[in-house]
Amino acid sequence: MVSGHLFLCRRNSWPAEEYVTKTALQLLDFDGGAPPSEAWRRRLDSHANKLKEFTVTFMEAMKMMSLGVRLWSYVREEASQGRKAPIDPFTRENHKPSASQGVPLGGMGSGSISRGFRGEFKHWQILPGSCEMSPVMANQFSIFVSRDGGNKKYSSVLAPGHHEGLKKSGDEGISSWDWNLSGQHSTYHALFPRAWTVYDGEPDPDLKISCRQISPFIPHDYRDSSLPTSVFVYTLVNTGKDRAKVSLLMTWANSIGGASHNSGGHYNEPFIGEDGVSGVLLHHKTGKDNPPVTFAIAACETQNVSVTVLPAFNLSGENCSSEKCTTAKDMWDKMSQDGQFDRANFDRGCTEPSSSGNAVCAAVSASTWVEPHGRCTVVFALAWSSPKIKFQKGRCYYRRYTKFYGTSERSAINLVHDALTKYKRWEEQIEEWQNPILQDERLPEWYKFTLFNELYFLVAGGTVWIDSEAPGLEENSRHGTNNEQERILSENANTNPVANHTSFGDNDVGRFLYLEGIEYIMWCTYDVHFYASFALLNLFPKIELSIQRDFAHAVLFEDKRKVKFLADGTWGIRKVKGAVPHDLGTHDPWHEMNAYNIHDTSKWKDLNPKFVLQVYRDFAATGDLVFARDVWPGVCAAMDYMEQFDRDGDGLIENDGFPDQTYDAWTVRGVSAYSGCLWLAALQAAATMAHRLGDRTVAEKFKVKFMKAKMVYESKLWNGSYFNYDSSSRSIQADQLAGQWYTAAAGLPPLFDEGRIRNVLQKIFEFNVMRVKGGRLGAVNGMNPNGKVDETCMQSREIWTGVTYSVAATMLHHDMEYQGFTTAEGIFIAGWSDEGYGYWFQTPEGWTIDGHYRSLVYMRPLAIWAMQWAITPPKAILEAPKINVMDRIHISPLALRAFSESGVRKIAPKTSCFSSTVFHCDC
């Protein structure tokens, strides 16, 4: 029974008027200063609770004890080589995660910095695969207001709370600053890639302030979306009767997070650029031979705004003995007294490199007069230039943005200049993209802003975007290998098509990586990309095709280096030819794939079908025949490889009694709903693709297999209302129709009768969704027929956010709008709403029914874009001829006779997909 109260969030549940006074909204409604009507909102004085991580049960721990011992040994072995293991559940960050995240800064692939909803800069991911979670407290915006000839003054850091040791006697550090903002009248409004912070009379009761944060995340723009920069636009409205001098201050530590500011060798440099742009460069010397980073903080001087800088001040006064040394307190006192720094500071040149243990910071001030009832705009920008990216096994590449800005760290000046002069155009492009969705009255409000805000992961998910025209440079790339491994590595370097392909003519957009999550450090984890890829295909389709090309080439590659698999302690080779890799690697991506070593993923049953399904969907959506022909050999190899898992010759693959798919702790035996449905969908997709490319022999082969496998699948698993989990369990799996989801998304004929599909989805809705806290958590992975959660293992009892979104998308494909939005709304309620657990902008892989998370900042929740795909399919799929291509695939009499002979394996002669196929488009 579905109760109506669940759709309370369909109303305008987050109106700006409930967070900001109508007067303030009206006054700020110029130059983009007012927050939008649809946004995720939070008050700055909200409590940021600590997040609770999941724990395994005693029985689960006992089952995984041997794995745990081997994993612990592997983590220590990697640490001895100076590397971080891709999965390390034993090392814990000192900074415990809290419900304080917000919209991250920058474009994609050039390193990222997150910014909490209360203003703190944290989650530093400047170096690949490394995340420094703690905030750098010196990085702040502050304000100084002087009225009535200086008789009335206000000053405060524009962040609530205070630094530990506030105003203690003799303090010379940032604790000496004025932390006067309560946050009671200040609010945060997020609509990725922008965010608004509104200070409604704080700290000056007669001053309304809006800070608008803008990053260049612009769909289909493969240039500006790669830029490591953000803009902060301050809108000031003076509601008082007297003129106000307002000085805004941006302070920044020479740091890339953690304790890096204390490592020494850093120096700062003031600059005056073109078009009134001026500020400070902060040159940072990274540790462990990583490439250097240069930050630029700047403001734009106009007729009404004066910009001054302080090139350097010390974070504390402990190591500040020189008379010329400026402490954080000295800097603050100067601003409090004068509201600006000395113009002569621009002539000071580079500062001396910092000594070890001495943290150096810089400041930029922008001052203006605001008349009574007047308005003014002040704009700051931040950029970070780290042209070269180095992975831990030594190989280096140039980042994508260097294609346009060059390879000098000093390009940070040009980056902030362009950010300050182009941000208005960026906003126009962002609004042109977002408005059709935001103005669609069919959609629930929570869905609209959650759809955009889940895209935070494409910036903060550890993305790397390189310039494919600049080849990688090797630096000690064979560190830690023995002679035999070196020989194999050398052979692979010459034969690896993944590492060696660099560009694709007019479609060259560089090469793109993104992490499975900040806790699972593997690039482009493919079984998870299966869910997340809808975001890239919707917004950056050329990147999506580039990733698929990487995997298509990888299928044909073999890496014979030995690897120990930690689940059972057996040994195998790193990459088997014909098998789709689990990932593109960790410490040497493209060259050393399959960093995941829990199981031997060459025996997984979902990776190859997922590859075929993604490739066909991408081909159907883009109509790119060049892409289709390029990846077709990989598709054929992937399909042929799977034949070994059809051990009884009935056309349907079987699972092998271990967790041989994306649910890598949930054992599967024999024929299974998840893997089997993916296989059926892949057979149909491969047959259709072969037909469209003119490869009729292969099309016939896969069609016959599909017809045979479908009969077996339904006869062995259908129980009258849903498909059994596998040959030994009647558990109701939320993800059992994953193959049908992709079938619908690609515009292919349904795998099963429409009534049967809807019955399954209704069963999942009633059991996996509504019987868990009334639908307020999402869809639990496994549910027993008696209505109790399946506690077979850790993963069967979890709610996976991305899977829930994909199930919702499947419901939308089959006109079950109410069920679809109700299912997905559970993720919003638990993860994003005020009554939830605080997972905004760090959506985890999943949570338990108690709301305890596993793996924050995870890739799979990007699957919410599969819902939008279902709502507004791409033109190529929407307008495709409404014909069943499978009906047009001719089957020879010999094949028909073989098909009719049940149980006979030799349906048709084996057709090699590596023959000299002649392509014809038969669309």
Side-chain angles (χ1 to χ4, degrees):
M1 179 68 70
V2 178
S3 58
H5 75 278
L6 285 174
F7 269 90
L8 287 177
C9 287
R10 272 187 182 260
R11 70 177 178 88
N12 287 332
S13 56
W14 295 63
E17 294 84 353
E18 290 187 9
Y19 291 79
V20 185
T21 62
K22 287 187 177 180
T23 301
L25 288 172
Q26 292 169 355
L27 290 170
L28 292 169
D29 191 19
F30 84 101
D31 196 30
S37 56
E38 284 92 4
W40 179 87
R41 312 186 199 279
R42 197 78 173 161
R43 300 187 189 280
L44 263 62
D45 63 349
S46 299
H47 175 64
N49 57 289
K50 298 293 183 183
L51 305 180
K52 296 180 179 179
E53 192 170 10
F54 87 109
T55 56
V56 296
T57 65
F58 175 77
M59 289 304 298
E60 289 167 351
M62 293 301 294
K63 290 178 181 178
M64 294 189 291
M65 183 173 291
S66 296
L67 166 62
V69 171
R70 284 188 284 267
L71 180 57
W72 180 76
S73 177
Y74 173 68
V75 168
R76 292 193 62 186
E77 179 184 346
E78 286 293 284
S80 70
Q81 298 291 328
R83 298 189 296 263
K84 187 173 183 179
I87 301 175
D88 178 6
F90 309 106
T91 306
R92 286 287 174 259
E93 294 281 347
N94 293 328
H95 183 80
K96 291 189 177 297
S98 64
S100 60
Q101 288 295 93
V103 174
L105 308 175
M108 298 188 296
S110 295
S112 69
I113 306 164
S114 291
R115 194 176 184 218
F117 73 85
R118 295 186 294 191
E120 63 274 31
F121 295 87
K122 57 184 183 178
H123 273 230
W124 298 73
Q125 297 187 80
I126 305 298
L127 304 178
S130 172
C131 181
E132 294 286 356
M133 299 178 66
S134 300
V136 176
M137 292 302 294
N139 297 353
Q140 299 287 349
F141 285 100
S142 303
I143 192 167
F144 303 82
V145 184
S146 177
R147 295 179 182 270
D148 191 21
N151 292 323
K152 189 186 295 183
K153 289 189 173 186
Y154 304 91
S155 61
S156 180
V157 177
L158 288 175
H162 63 271
H163 190 266
E164 185 178 350
L166 178 67
K167 294 292 186 183
K168 65 183 180 182
S169 177
D171 181 59
E172 298 287 327
I174 64 173
S175 296
S176 65
W177 297 353
D178 296 328
W179 299 77
N180 295 328
L181 198 79
S182 70
Q184 184 177 357
H185 302 291
S186 301
T187 51
Y188 182 80
H189 312 256
L191 187 65
F192 179 89
R194 297 188 292 172
W196 292 253
T197 306
V198 176
Y199 307 89
D200 193 355
E202 286 191 276
D204 181 348
D206 293 327
L207 189 67
K208 310 296 184 186
I209 308 166
S210 169
C211 173
R212 187 164 82 259
Q213 172 187 313
I214 308 155
S215 292
F217 183 97
I218 304 162
H220 308 286
D221 184 333
Y222 297 91
R223 181 189 188 279
D224 287 0
S225 294
S226 72
L227 304 185
T229 186
S230 285
V231 177
F232 306 89
V233 183
Y234 278 86
T235 302
L236 309 172
V237 180
N238 183 3
T239 61
K241 297 179 180 179
D242 51 358
R243 196 173 182 226
K245 182 181 180 182
V246 180
S247 297
L248 287 161
L249 175 71
M250 182 181 188
T251 52
W252 200 258
N254 198 322
S255 169
I256 58 170
S260 62
H261 52 280
N262 287 322
S263 58
H266 318 310
Y267 67 97
N268 299 346
E269 176 188 0
F271 72 89
I272 298 178
E274 298 177 353
D275 301 316
V277 175
S278 54
V280 181
L281 294 176
L282 296 89
H283 303 283
H284 187 85
K285 180 183 178 182
T286 59
K288 299 181 179 179
D289 295 322
N290 282 302
V293 183
T294 293
F295 293 92
I297 57 173
C300 194
E301 187 159 280
T302 67
Q303 185 177 357
N304 300 316
V305 178
S306 174
V307 177
T308 57
V309 302
L310 182 63
F313 67 89
N314 278 31
L315 192 56
S316 68
E318 297 175 4
N319 298 312
C320 203
S321 56
S322 168
E323 292 183 3
K324 294 183 179 180
C325 179
T326 302
T327 66
K329 183 178 185 302
D330 294 334
M331 183 279 299
W332 191 267
D333 290 344
K334 173 70 173 176
M335 285 298 300
S336 296
Q337 180 177 335
D338 300 337
Q340 61 186 28
F341 301 115
D342 298 332
R343 296 288 301 183
N345 287 345
F346 283 113
D347 302 322
R348 287 171 54 174
C350 296
T351 65
E352 292 293 325
S354 62
S355 58
S356 179
N358 188 20
V360 61
C361 308
V364 174
S365 167
S367 304
T368 187
W369 287 94
V370 188
E371 300 298 327
H373 308 293
R375 300 171 179 178
C376 187
T377 300
V378 178
V379 191
F380 291 86
L382 165 71
W384 52 99
S385 180
S386 180
K388 188 186 292 184
I389 183 169
K390 179 182 177 183
F391 292 98
Q392 286 196 353
K393 288 199 172 180
R395 212 175 302 266
C396 298
Y397 305 88
Y398 285 115
R399 296 188 190 267
R400 168 72 174 173
Y401 80 90
T402 64
K403 183 180 181 73
F404 317 107
Y405 284 83
T407 58
S408 168
E409 291 86 15
R410 297 186 65 82
S411 63
I413 294 178
N414 297 328
L415 285 163
V416 287
H417 171 273
D418 288 0
L420 288 167
T421 56
K422 292 172 64 175
Y423 76 87
K424 290 185 178 180
R425 193 185 78 185
W426 291 345
E427 288 196 285
E428 290 173 359
Q429 293 171 302
I430 291 167
E431 290 172 3
E432 183 180 355
W433 156 47
Q434 293 184 335
N435 282 343
I437 294 173
L438 297 175
Q439 295 167 5
D440 189 341
E441 295 183 356
R442 299 174 301 164
L443 305 177
E445 187 190 17
W446 65 264
Y447 167 79
K448 295 177 187 179
F449 58 76
T450 307
L451 178 72
F452 292 114
N453 286 336
E454 288 284 19
L455 290 171
Y456 84 93
F457 187 84
L458 288 177
V459 172
T463 52
V464 168
W465 194 356
I466 67 166
D467 176 12
S468 62
E469 293 181 2
L473 306 174
E474 293 189 42
E475 297 178 10
N476 303 319
S477 63
R478 300 180 189 177
H479 174 69
T481 60
N482 58 35
N483 291 335
E484 176 63 13
Q485 297 282 65
E486 281 196 22
R487 182 188 64 78
I488 296 172
L489 187 64
S490 178
E491 291 176 0
N492 289 338
N494 296 323
T495 61
N496 185 348
V498 190
N500 293 334
H501 95 264
T502 57
S503 65
F504 309 102
D506 294 338
N507 286 325
D508 176 36
V509 292
R511 303 181 75 179
F512 191 85
L513 300 169
Y514 65 146
L515 290 175
E516 180 177 337
I518 61 169
E519 296 178 35
Y520 298 158
I521 309 171
M522 293 163 283
W523 300 109
C524 294
T525 299
Y526 201 72
D527 55 307
V528 184
H529 180 70
F530 176 75
Y531 298 83
S533 59
F534 282 89
L536 285 173
L537 185 56
N538 266 287
L539 307 174
F540 298 95
K542 291 181 181 180
I543 290 178
E544 164 63 11
L545 297 189
S546 173
I547 292 173
Q548 298 301 349
R549 279 187 167 100
D550 279 343
F551 278 92
H553 287 81
V555 172
L556 308 176
F557 169 67
E558 186 160 84
D559 185 342
K560 295 182 179 179
R561 284 174 286 181
K562 296 293 185 180
V563 174
K564 183 177 182 179
F565 301 113
L566 305 180
D568 56 10
T570 60
W571 288 80
I573 66 172
R574 179 171 289 279
K575 168 66 178 67
V576 176
K577 186 175 182 178
V580 173
H582 172 273
D583 55 80
L584 292 178
T586 291
H587 300 311
D588 193 9
W590 299 297
H591 294 265
E592 186 179 271
M593 293 172 281
N594 280 336
Y596 178 91
N597 60 350
I598 304 297
H599 299 289
D600 181 355
T601 59
S602 70
K603 299 176 181 177
W604 276 20
K605 310 307 182 293
D606 64 336
L607 289 169
N608 284 36
K610 284 176 175 177
F611 167 69
V612 175
L613 288 170
Q614 288 182 73
V615 161
Y616 181 77
R617 176 206 57 186
D618 295 356
F619 170 43
T622 63
D624 190 333
L625 275 168
V626 174
F627 165 76
R629 291 166 180 158
D630 188 36
V631 301
W632 180 238
V635 170
C636 290
M639 292 298 291
D640 288 346
Y641 182 85
M642 294 299 292
E643 287 189 7
Q644 65 184 298
F645 302 123
D646 176 15
R647 294 182 172 83
D648 56 6
D650 62 2
L652 193 61
I653 61 171
E654 291 89 35
N655 295 84
D656 285 329
F658 75 100
D660 51 358
Q661 26 69 51
T662 194
Y663 299 88
D664 59 352
W666 197 356
T667 296
V668 199
R669 298 177 177 86
V671 175
S672 71
Y674 183 71
S675 299
C677 190
L678 289 171
W679 176 239
L680 286 181
L683 285 168
Q684 180 174 245
T688 305
M689 190 170 180
H691 177 76
R692 292 182 64 176
L693 291 175
D695 202 337
R696 290 177 172 81
T697 305
V698 173
E700 177 187 2
K701 167 187 170 182
F702 290 141
K703 178 177 178 178
V704 171
K705 282 182 175 291
F706 170 77
M707 294 166 59
K708 193 173 183 183
K710 178 182 175 181
M711 292 175 56
V712 175
Y713 182 87
E714 294 191 276
S715 66
K716 289 190 174 182
L717 294 178
W718 181 250
N719 62 24
S721 58
Y722 64 94
F723 295 104
N724 291 335
Y725 174 72
D726 66 6
S727 299
S728 63
S729 169
R730 285 176 57 87
S731 182
I732 308 166
Q733 185 178 11
D735 212 2
Q736 63 185 273
L737 289 181
Q740 173 55 35
W741 164 41
Y742 255 71
T743 296
L748 289 168
L751 299 176
F752 316 108
D753 175 76
E754 181 66 21
R756 183 165 287 189
I757 294 170
R758 290 173 63 91
N759 282 343
V760 173
L761 293 172
Q762 186 64 31
K763 188 76 172 185
I764 292 168
F765 179 71
E766 292 175 0
F767 279 70
N768 300 63
V769 178
M770 300 308 297
R771 295 203 181 189
V772 181
K773 301 266 179 96
R776 305 179 75 80
L777 287 180
V780 69
N781 284 337
M783 177 67 76
N784 289 314
N786 63 4
K788 294 184 179 180
V789 172
D790 184 344
E791 297 191 353
T792 300
C793 67
M794 172 184 77
Q795 291 174 343
S796 64
R797 61 184 173 89
E798 289 179 325
I799 293 98
W800 282 11
T801 53
V803 168
T804 297
Y805 286 142
S806 72
V807 170
T810 311
M811 292 171 173
L812 294 177
H813 277 296
H814 294 279
D815 300 322
M816 300 174 69
E817 178 184 323
Y818 174 78
Q819 291 90 335
F821 280 117
T822 301
T823 296
E825 189 181 29
I827 302 301
F828 166 75
I829 293 171
W832 290 82
S833 75
D834 285 338
E835 60 186 279
Y837 300 106
Y839 296 131
W840 45 81
F841 300 102
Q842 52 189 331
T843 316
E845 159 75 306
W847 46 67
T848 64
I849 59 174
D850 297 320
H852 296 181
Y853 76 88
R854 182 169 63 81
S855 188
L856 290 173
V857 191
Y858 197 78
M859 181 199 292
R860 205 180 320 247
L862 286 170
I864 192 173
W865 279 87
M867 295 178 65
Q868 192 60 27
W869 186 275
I871 295 165
T872 54
K875 187 176 180 180
I877 290 177
L878 194 62
E879 297 181 357
K882 305 303 178 185
I883 56 174
N884 188 337
V885 177
M886 293 289 279
D887 292 341
R888 299 175 65 183
I889 299 174
H890 174 72
I891 301 179
S892 66
L894 175 64
L896 278 174
R897 186 165 62 251
F899 170 67
S900 65
E901 297 173 5
S902 178
V904 179
R905 184 175 180 83
K906 46 186 178 183
I907 300 170
K910 183 172 181 179
T911 305
S912 172
C913 292
F914 297 102
S915 61
S916 54
T917 304
V918 178
F919 289 104
H920 301 281
C921 178
D922 185 7
C923 301

